[in-house]
Structure formats: structure tokens, C-alpha cells
Amino acid sequence: MSSENPEQQAEQNADKLPAQAEEERREQPVVRKGMFGARTTGDTSGYGGLVIRQSPKVSAQRPYGGPGGAAEAGEFDEIADELERAYPHFGDAVERVVVDRGEITFFVRREHLLEVARTMRDEPSLRFEMCSGVSGVHYPKDEGAELHSVVHLLSITHNRRVRLEVTCPDADPHVPSLVPVYPTSDWHERETYDFFGIVYDGHPALTRIEMPDDWVGHPQRKDYPLGGIPVEYRGAEIPPPDERRSYV
């Protein structure tokens, strides 16, 4: 149902993802139930009956609009058109385009990442001169694409922002480094490697930047154990969530 409030209308228009019927959502596999690791009837969070389902990989449909969520073609369509014109392998490189909440994301196959990024930087009609960050996401249930590397680009010339997102499997966690194109991604890629285990091929010095060099594992992955790590405070130890106090 559409709202009469202008701010709510703008937010609704900015979301270009196709709506799903309730029966379609019920057919999606269940990822987990509840929240915060509680597995007993003593869950006092109010989320004990929560059911999280695997979200489908959806794509936004044209027109993409722009940050304001216009229903007609806009800024995001111009970016997509210019990238398609400037990069001859656009159809092979871009798996899908997602426009959600006034932001556009190009899902790029990793073998095309460097050339797409170079095109985004050098093409005069695009001119995304700055990489403002590289971050990671871990989706354990996304088979074959468990690890995501997210690149945030800014065009100072045109005052525009886009995201490039690349996926790789746990079994082959390799993504090309963007340091040759965007030197500012150097420490961002090191941090993402440290916390998620994504290996950025071609990085000049891919070493840990937050955790100790001899640390085992990558602590921001969702399969990394929570708690259970001894702390030096009167012999105290933080237990894992499933061993914490339960209100039964």
C-alpha cells in the first residue's frame, strides 16, 4: 500500500526490488530460527519464534531511476548505459544490478573486476575517481558465493556513488586486488582479508592489519565461534552463546 507521506513515498520509490508474495517466501529454505543463539524456551529476547529464510538473488528492473527513487529513467540508468557503452564485455561481466533504498550495486564477476573498475575510473562520462572503501560479507548459505567483497566508488566529478560487489566461494576465496586501479583500497583489502579471509590476488602486502599475526581464523565470518576466548581479567572467560545463562 502506498503512503501519503512524502518521505515514506520517497523511501518506497527508492526500493526497486520486486515484491514477493507470501507464498513465494514460504517456499524459500529456512536459514535459521530464533536469534542471539538461544535454543531453549527461556529466550526472553522476543525473537524466539523468528524464522529467517534464504533470500533469493533478485535483480532490479529498468528503469533504475536514481537516488531519489524516481519511477522514470534517471541517474542510475545513465551510469549503467555509459558503463555498457564503454565496456564491451558488459553482458559477461555484470551478473545483475540491484537498486535498493536509493543505492545501485553492480554484481561483477571477479575475472572482470579490474577492467570494470578501470573503466569506471577512466571513462569521462563515469569518472569514479575514488574508492572510499572495500568491505566483506559472509553468507554461509549462499552456496558457491559464500564470500562477498563490496567496493564503494565515488565520482567527485559527477557527485555520484555506486557499489561493485564480487563473490567467491569458501573453497576458492580469491578476488583480484584493486590496488593497481585504486591505491586507497590497500588497507581496506588488508582489513577484509584479516576479518573474512578473502585473498586479494596482486595485493602488494596482504598481511593482517587488526588481529595478531598468529591469530587463527577470521573473526567476522558467521561460522566463527562467538565467545569462548579467555580474557586476562581475574581468570574470567567469555562463554559461547549456547553456554550462557538461560531463563528456563
Side-chain angles (χ1 to χ4, degrees):
M1 179 180 296
S2 178
S3 171
E4 295 182 0
N5 184 290
E7 293 183 359
Q8 291 180 343
Q9 285 181 341
E11 183 175 347
Q12 291 169 353
N13 290 334
D15 187 351
K16 305 293 288 187
L17 296 178
Q20 286 187 289
E22 184 177 353
E23 56 271 17
E24 293 176 338
R25 293 197 299 271
R26 288 176 178 171
E27 293 178 357
Q28 296 162 10
V30 175
V31 176
R32 63 183 172 88
K33 296 182 178 180
M35 190 174 279
F36 307 122
R39 296 182 176 85
T40 68
T41 56
D43 180 13
T44 61
S45 68
Y47 291 94
L50 183 67
V51 177
I52 306 297
R53 297 184 180 274
Q54 179 68 48
S55 300
K57 294 182 179 181
V58 296
S59 299
Q61 303 298 318
R62 296 266 196 165
Y64 298 144
E72 62 274 0
E75 178 180 306
F76 293 157
D77 295 271
E78 295 175 10
I79 295 172
D81 291 340
E82 290 301 325
L83 178 59
E84 186 171 6
R85 179 191 60 78
Y87 188 66
H89 304 293
F90 178 90
D92 295 328
V94 178
E95 297 179 274
R96 56 196 175 101
V97 179
V98 173
V99 178
D100 188 33
R101 293 168 177 80
E103 299 175 331
I104 186 168
T105 303
F106 294 92
F107 282 77
V108 181
R109 291 183 172 87
R110 56 181 172 175
E111 59 268 24
H112 292 271
L113 177 61
L114 276 175
E115 289 305 315
V116 169
R118 191 171 285 113
T119 302
M120 298 289 281
R121 183 195 66 182
D122 296 342
E123 180 62 30
S125 59
L126 295 169
R127 291 298 290 161
F128 286 90
E129 306 100 328
M130 180 180 177
C131 174
S132 60
V134 179
S135 54
V137 192
H138 183 216
Y139 296 101
K141 301 297 183 180
D142 191 3
E143 186 175 352
E146 292 87 356
L147 294 169
H148 291 222
S149 179
V150 186
V151 181
H152 305 262
L153 300 182
L154 167 65
S155 171
I156 301 173
T157 299
H158 303 293
N159 191 24
R160 293 173 170 177
R161 294 179 184 270
V162 300
R163 277 201 300 263
L164 305 180
E165 191 158 338
V166 187
T167 67
C168 59
D170 274 336
D172 183 24
H174 290 264
V175 169
S177 172
L178 283 177
V179 172
V181 181
Y182 294 107
T184 54
S185 64
D186 188 337
W187 284 17
H188 296 282
E189 289 182 352
R190 284 182 61 188
E191 183 179 55
T192 306
Y193 159 73
D194 195 350
F195 285 152
F196 292 92
I198 299 175
V199 179
Y200 290 93
D201 296 329
H203 191 284
L206 194 63
T207 57
R208 289 193 182 273
I209 192 173
E210 300 283 354
M211 309 302 293
D213 290 339
D214 58 352
W215 192 268
V216 178
H218 304 280
Q220 285 193 352
R221 291 171 56 106
K222 290 186 174 68
D223 56 5
Y224 189 84
L226 297 174
I229 301 173
V231 295
E232 296 180 5
Y233 183 72
R234 299 182 181 180
E237 182 173 317
I238 304 173
D242 57 352
E243 296 178 11
R244 295 176 188 172
R245 182 173 58 182
S246 178
Y247 298 90
V248 180

